[in-house]
């Protein structure tokens, strides 16, 4: 067991995540004790100790600078102890490109940013360059948007044909909710209509229907949902309209035909893997052939911007499986590809009973092979985020043809524009023109309003969900 203790909670989050990245399989005990000396103490298994005295941070008037100093010292010590560096260095946040974007906006050029990330955070040259490249693309895409008067709409459909064993979303099995889908839609359409009214006069830039699996809705229910959106919002300023169809076992010709009657610009058909044994193992109820059939069907119906999602590190898979999956994806030729690295903790939970593989290096290989495959398909990286609680330094990367990037995906990461969200568990993010003081004393210009996750509660408390948002809309 590793022990981390500190006088101040301020340091704990970073110290925990940095230490976890170096020692993914070791339990870590954390303790905050205001009376302890020194300021921070870290004790590894085997007894090696490191500490930082309070006097060392005295010169920092800004607590955040002090936090960075402490994190860097611990990172350097762990790095020296293990003989390893982390590709993203001491960056623990899920949005490294946000930091790069700030530097670009402050006028720094490519070389300065790479140097800065390297020196201040220990980020490798390769990752710093990737971060810079992606931030440049994000910037170009976001410049088309209006942050003050523009906004995006998210609509959540929290049902799936079955629940994949690695799923971290709060999705519910369709079977259980089939009879109440219409009640859910009643509530959802009311919320969408209320949002539309509150936002009239503002510019709707992107729409994203996600979940869950939106195509668990029957064709007539999809028609109702898309018809409601169509009746309530103006598309005059719309840059993108995504329906994350998702699971191939929920997609039919009829549903795709409904979608194609609306100004939907982008859909997702997500295989996660093209290995049948894995699909079966993670309880996805479709075949590899289903993925191919549905993809070809969507192409034949004219969908010219199709995204596919893959996961690196699914249970039982090694780099060769991923290479085979990528080969099959290349044959299909999607317009964008999102590659997620499965949290190792989760992958490990499945137990690699049949194969003793070094997950860390296999995932690293899979991530790198994915980048090569994307390159062969002329897809460039355009957004990136990292997961919390994962071992090492893996990141999720979205690749797309130059004009087929998913703008909403960037907006979610960069938090520069208001996203109004409807549906159970949906999270509205209001970006205010300036910072205000919240009830907890924190100053922020980003207000989050979460809808309840429980579907029955959402339906029952829909008026409250609508009213809670009203108070914040464009104050
Ligand atoms: S399809 Fe996606 S949202 Fe649905 S259960 Fe599987 S991982 Fe979760």
């Amino acid at each position: 067991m590793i022990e981390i203790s500190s006088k101040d909670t301020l340091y704990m989050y970073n110290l925990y995540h940095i230490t976890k990245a170096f020692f993914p399989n070791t339990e870590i005990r954390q303790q905050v004790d205001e009376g302890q000396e020194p300021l921070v103490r870290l004790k590894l298994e085997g007894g090696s100790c490191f500490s930082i005295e309070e006097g060392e941070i005295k010169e920092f008037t800004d607590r955040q600078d002090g936090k960075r100093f402490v994190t860097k010292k611990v990172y350097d010590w762990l790095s020296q102890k293990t003989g390893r560096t982390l590709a993203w260095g001491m960056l623990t946040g899920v949005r490294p490109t946000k930091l790069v974007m700030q530097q670009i906006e402050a006028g720094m050029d490519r070389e300065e940013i790479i140097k800065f990330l390297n020196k201040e955070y220990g980020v490798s040259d390769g990752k710093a360059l990737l971060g810079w490249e992606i931030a440049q693309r994000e910037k170009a895409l976001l410049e088309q948007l209006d942050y003050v008067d523009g906004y995006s709409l998210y609509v959540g459909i929290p049902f799936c044909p079955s629940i994949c064993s690695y799923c971290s979303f709060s999705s519910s099995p369709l079977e259980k909710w089939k009879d109440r889908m219409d009640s859910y839609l009643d509530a959802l359409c009311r919320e969408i209509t209320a949002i539309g009214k509150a936002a009239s006069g503002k510019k709707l830039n992107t729409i994203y229907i996600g979940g869950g699996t939106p195509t668990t809705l029957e064709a007539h229910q999809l028609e109702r949902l898309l018809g409601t959106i169509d009746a309530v919002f103006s598309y005059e300023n719309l840059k993108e309209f995504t329906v994350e169809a998702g699971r191939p076992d929920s997609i039919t010709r009829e549903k795709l035909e409904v979608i194609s009657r609306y100004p939907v610009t982008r859909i997702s058909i997500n295989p996660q893997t093209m290995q049948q044994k894995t699909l079966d193992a993670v309880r996805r109820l479709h075949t590899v052939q289903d993925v191919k059939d549905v993809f070809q069907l969507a192409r034949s119906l004219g969908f010219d911007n199709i995204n596919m999602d893959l996961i690196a590190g699914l249970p039982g898979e090694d780099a060769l499986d991923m290479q085979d999956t990528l080969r099959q994806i290349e044959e299909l030729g999607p317009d964008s590809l999102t590659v997620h690295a499965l949290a190792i903790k989760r992958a490990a939970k499945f137990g690699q009973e049949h194969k003793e593989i070094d997950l860390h290096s296999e995932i690293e290989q899979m991530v790198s092979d994915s980048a090569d495959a994307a390159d062969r398909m002329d897809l460039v990286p355009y957004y990136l985020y990292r997961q919390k609680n994962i071992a090492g330094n893996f990141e999720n990367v979205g690749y797309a043809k130059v004009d087929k990037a998913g703008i909403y995906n960037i907006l979610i990461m960069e938090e520069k524009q208001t996203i109004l969200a409807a549906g159970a568990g949906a999270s509205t993010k209001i970006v205010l023109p300036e910072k205000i003081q919240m009830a907890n004393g924190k100053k922020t210009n980003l207000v989050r309003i979460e809808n309840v996750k429980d579907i029955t509660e959402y339906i029952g408390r829909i008026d409250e969900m609508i009213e809670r948002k009203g108070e914040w809309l464009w104050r």
Side-chain angles (χ1 to χ4, degrees):
M1 174 175 322
I2 296 173
E3 291 170 35
I4 305 173
S5 64
S6 173
K7 287 178 88 130
D8 192 333
T9 48
L10 178 71
Y11 310 108
M12 295 307 281
Y13 177 90
N14 279 4
L15 297 187
Y16 173 82
H17 287 284
I18 284 292
T19 311
K20 197 72 190 162
F22 279 102
F23 299 99
N25 301 318
T26 309
E27 197 186 327
I28 298 177
R29 191 165 72 199
Q30 305 177 72
Q31 193 191 355
V32 176
D33 175 2
E34 286 177 10
Q36 87 161 35
E37 293 297 341
L39 177 68
V40 162
R41 183 188 297 117
L42 182 66
K43 188 171 167 210
L44 299 182
E45 277 184 330
S48 291
C49 263
F50 182 68
S51 57
I52 299 174
E53 300 296 332
E54 198 155 18
E56 295 182 63
I57 58 153
K58 279 235 156 64
E59 63 183 276
F60 297 105
T61 44
D62 183 331
R63 271 166 66 78
Q64 294 305 319
D65 289 341
K67 182 162 94 171
R68 204 166 64 185
F69 171 83
V70 166
T71 311
K72 183 78 166 60
K73 279 206 91 169
V74 169
Y75 173 79
D76 288 344
W77 183 71
L78 288 171
S79 181
Q80 182 233 321
K81 273 278 160 211
T82 57
R84 287 197 294 130
T85 53
L86 302 174
W88 285 104
M90 59 175 253
L91 282 183
T92 51
V94 293
R95 302 180 189 94
T97 49
K98 211 172 171 178
L99 178 64
V100 181
M101 190 75 95
Q102 282 165 6
Q103 306 310 319
I104 293 174
E105 284 167 356
M108 281 166 84
D109 67 20
R110 189 179 87 153
E111 298 321 313
E112 285 169 331
I113 291 173
I114 292 174
K115 224 165 150 182
F116 167 79
L117 290 175
N118 208 277
K119 183 165 174 271
E120 300 294 327
Y121 294 93
V123 179
S124 71
D125 285 357
K127 294 296 179 198
L129 185 60
L130 177 67
W132 179 83
E133 250 183 72
I134 289 177
Q136 287 292 341
R137 291 199 182 100
E138 287 184 352
K139 190 165 173 283
L141 285 165
L142 294 184
E143 270 167 3
Q144 314 166 20
L145 307 182
D146 182 339
Y147 291 152
V148 181
D149 278 334
Y151 70 102
S152 289
L153 173 71
Y154 174 83
V155 177
I157 308 295
F159 310 104
C160 285
S162 65
I163 304 304
C164 309
S165 50
Y166 56 83
C167 183
S168 57
F169 301 102
S170 57
S171 194
S172 300
L174 181 60
E175 206 43 51
K176 192 174 150 206
W177 288 95
K178 232 179 166 66
D179 298 342
R180 301 196 61 199
M181 294 282 267
D182 285 319
S183 309
Y184 181 74
L185 265 186
D186 290 345
L188 185 64
C189 289
R190 274 187 62 193
E191 193 179 17
I192 290 169
T193 305
I195 288 175
K197 276 191 191 146
S200 68
K202 300 290 172 182
K203 298 172 185 165
L204 177 59
N205 286 153
T206 77
I207 303 175
Y208 194 100
I209 303 183
T213 303
T215 38
T216 47
L217 295 177
E218 294 297 339
H220 69 276
Q221 292 167 328
L222 262 177
E223 179 78 57
R224 183 180 168 200
L225 173 64
L226 293 169
T228 300
I229 294 172
D230 198 61
V232 173
F233 295 93
S234 155
Y235 297 143
E236 200 183 332
N237 298 291
L238 197 66
K239 308 270 180 223
E240 174 184 288
F241 189 160
T242 297
V243 175
E244 192 182 8
R247 288 261 296 258
D249 43 335
S250 65
I251 302 170
T252 64
R253 170 182 283 272
E254 211 189 345
K255 293 179 194 180
L256 287 175
E257 281 172 351
V258 169
I259 295 170
S260 69
R261 285 201 288 275
Y262 291 88
V264 172
T265 55
R266 182 174 177 272
I267 63 169
S268 244
I269 297 171
N270 300 330
Q272 311 302 4
T273 172
M274 294 296 262
Q275 306 305 304
Q276 191 59 50
K277 58 172 186 183
T278 319
L279 291 173
D280 297 340
V282 299
R283 297 203 291 275
R284 284 172 79 92
L285 307 177
H286 61 86
T287 62
V288 170
Q289 192 56 44
D290 289 338
V291 178
K292 295 179 181 175
D293 292 346
V294 165
F295 186 92
Q296 301 300 3
L297 175 65
R299 278 285 194 241
S300 73
L301 291 171
F303 288 95
D304 63 0
N305 189 352
I306 305 178
N307 173 71
M308 296 187 113
D309 275 8
L310 292 180
I311 298 177
L314 280 168
E317 289 205 355
D318 60 17
L320 288 177
D321 293 314
M322 186 68 169
Q323 280 161 16
D324 183 63
T325 289
L326 290 166
R327 183 189 53 74
Q328 297 188 60
I329 296 294
E330 280 185 68
E331 276 172 19
L332 292 171
D335 306 281
S336 61
L337 178 72
T338 311
V339 183
H340 303 262
L342 187 70
I344 282 200
K345 231 167 63 176
R346 291 223 177 85
K349 216 167 78 182
F350 291 112
Q352 303 288 322
E353 299 100 355
H354 308 298
K355 256 184 201 173
E356 277 299 315
I357 57 174
D358 174 357
L359 263 178
H360 193 284
S361 64
E362 291 291 324
I363 295 182
E364 207 161 10
Q365 185 65 47
M366 292 178 195
V367 167
S368 143
D369 289 341
S370 305
D372 292 345
D375 189 46
R376 286 193 295 274
M377 289 186 275
D378 290 329
L379 309 178
V380 293
Y382 77 96
Y383 92 101
L384 176 156
Y385 70 97
R386 299 170 67 214
Q387 288 160 275
K388 280 183 191 160
N389 300 323
I390 65 166
N393 282 275
F394 304 115
E395 63 270 341
N396 302 324
V397 182
Y399 302 90
K401 288 186 183 151
V402 171
D403 53 346
K404 303 279 171 76
I407 301 171
Y408 177 85
N409 290 330
I410 304 171
L411 287 171
I412 274 280
M413 290 300 122
E414 295 298 329
E415 299 177 329
K416 285 179 182 290
Q417 194 190 51
T418 290
I419 296 177
L420 302 180
S427 173
T428 288
K429 291 182 190 176
I430 310 248
V431 180
L432 300 171
E434 55 201 39
K435 286 191 176 179
I436 56 158
Q437 187 137 11
M438 303 299 285
N440 61 6
K442 229 175 133 184
K443 280 195 151 189
T444 180
N445 70 334
L446 184 71
V447 178
R448 289 170 202 271
I449 308 156
E450 315 265 345
N451 281 353
V452 285
K453 282 195 176 127
D454 184 275
I455 297 165
T456 308
E457 285 229 359
Y458 170 75
I459 296 170
R461 291 169 57 190
I462 188 62
D463 289 334
E464 184 193 330
M465 298 302 111
I466 293 170
E467 274 161 30
R468 282 162 64 196
K469 266 192 274 294
E471 125 181 53
W472 286 103
L473 289 182
W474 290 292
R475 289 146 56 102

